[in-house]
Amino acid sequence: MNVRGTLEPDEVETFLEETTVPVRLSCRTPGGRLWMVSLWFRFREGVLECATSADADVVSFLAADSHVAFEVSTNDPPYRGVRGNGTATISPDPEKEVLGDLLERYLGTTESDLADRLLDPDRREVRIEIEPETVAGWDYTHRMGGGA
């Protein structure tokens, strides 16, 4: 992973490991139009991992063109984030392992109506792995005086 911007490689990794806002993932439709979707993610071993329904539009889009751009950034000042580009790979996740971990990461539990719907045995789930090629990190904490 080629790291640019004001964050060091270890700071980029720490930010992606600790931040629990969705990744904004951009790709192209088979017709060549741009598409953006927000997905929960986890960062492990240099890869962003997401989960979604096997029937989601983004799955067919990524199957047609695996090149992506992405951004993970805070929503409140002081703004911090990482953006980049890379390649996405889709694979089945019949045990919903990634989804279960993401429910725990973002909601703190797999015991909810949402979790029940998403973990339904009849729902087909896939794992989207994003291999970053180039990333740029930024942190405006110092410039913004530490927050609002």
Side-chain angles (χ1 to χ4, degrees), residues 9-126:
D10 62 322
E11 293 174 307
V12 166
E13 290 185 9
T14 298
F15 178 81
L16 292 172
E17 289 167 354
E18 294 177 356
T19 303
T20 54
V21 297
V23 61
R24 295 168 192 98
L25 182 65
S26 176
C27 62
R28 292 202 178 270
T29 69
R33 296 202 175 263
L34 294 173
W35 185 261
M36 176 128 358
V37 63
S38 294
L39 297 168
W40 288 347
F41 79 96
R42 66 182 182 187
F43 185 74
R44 294 189 345 168
E45 299 178 17
V47 175
L48 294 157
E49 293 180 311
C50 306
T52 194
S53 167
D55 300 324
D57 288 339
V58 70
V59 174
S60 63
F61 299 164
L62 293 173
D65 183 347
S66 63
H67 296 93
V68 298
F70 61 88
E71 180 181 85
V72 177
S73 61
T74 58
N75 295 315
D76 299 311
Y79 301 117
R80 301 170 46 221
V82 172
R83 69 173 56 101
N85 60 52
T87 305
T89 304
I90 301 166
S91 60
D93 190 5
E95 302 301 319
K96 300 179 180 69
E97 182 259 332
V98 174
L99 177 59
D101 283 356
L102 293 176
L103 285 162
E104 289 285 347
R105 175 173 157 80
Y106 284 84
L107 302 180
T109 183
T110 57
E111 303 297 324
S112 68
D113 290 341
L114 173 61
D116 289 345
R117 284 193 308 277
L118 295 176
L119 294 171
D120 184 294
D122 293 331
R123 184 173 183 271
R124 291 183 315 122
E125 191 73 15
V126 296

